Amino acid sequence: GENVEQHPSTLSVQEGDSAVIKCTYSDSASNYFPWYKQELGKRPQLIIDIRSNVGEKKDQRIAVTLNKTAKHFSLHITETQPEDSAVYFCAAGGLAGGTSYGKLTFGQGTILTVHP
Amino acid sequence: DTGVSQDPRHKITKRGQNVTFRCDPISEHNRLYWYRQTLGQGPEFLTYFQNEAQLEKSRLLSDRFSAERPKGSFSTLEIQRTEQGDSAMYLCASSVSQNSNQPQHFGDGTRLSIL
């Protein structure tokens, strides 16, 4: 099955700095890579996603890059703000059970702390 | 609020008891997923439905776990003879159904504590 590794496990930055979180995946059949932000005691919230036919995607201060050959993808947050502090999870998804699309395999999470 | 709804938010029970959780997906979403999340870890896939059909089950889902989605709308997850190791946050997510992976939207989860 799919295995997703996420690094670093904790990341501390000063407000205004950039933050980068990296993930690697093992299954070359995976073709969908979302990122979720989870604040303490709250639901995971989708912040950005990318499909395997795209190398980069941006949404304001957030960007994701994908290298299919190397099987890794990264989340980039620019101009970080204290409200960006949370746990961030990467995930990989692909074909599940024939022609259906289903499960996501998540990384272990990165605790991001943005200091004012 | 038309997001994914889960009930109850918290459940405390004694070891050996049965528990049942409910998930109401976003109304136009016909795919529904169950995940389990323990402290400090990412969600782990348990099972998923497309309409009323259960299409995949994880090996994590022992015989004590059963999930249903009888009318293709809400879903229930039942755990029989609960064990200490079942303590976790149980998350439900839903998505639309197309010939590709679609964004999964999560509910707030049910936190299960086994005494």
Side-chain angles (χ1 to χ4, degrees), chain A residues 31-32 36 38 41-44 46 49 51 89 93-97 99-104 106-109, chain B residues 3-4 9 31 33 35 37 40-43 45 48 55-56 91 98-108:
Chain A
N31 56 14
Y32 175 66
Y36 286 84
Q38 188 173 30
K42 296 191 176 180
R43 68 182 71 183
L46 179 70
D49 58 8
R51 300 181 187 281
F89 292 99
L95 289 174
T99 58
S100 299
Y101 295 82
K103 69 179 180 184
L104 295 175
F106 284 81
Q108 300 90 336
Chain B
V4 178
R9 292 293 310 279
R31 286 189 185 148
Y33 311 81
Y35 292 85
Q37 186 177 27
Q41 299 296 315
F45 171 81
Y48 99 98
L55 296 184
E56 187 172 356
L91 292 164
Q98 293 182 12
N99 289 328
S100 65
N101 277 290
Q102 295 299 313
Q104 295 183 23
H105 299 273
F106 283 84
D108 285 328

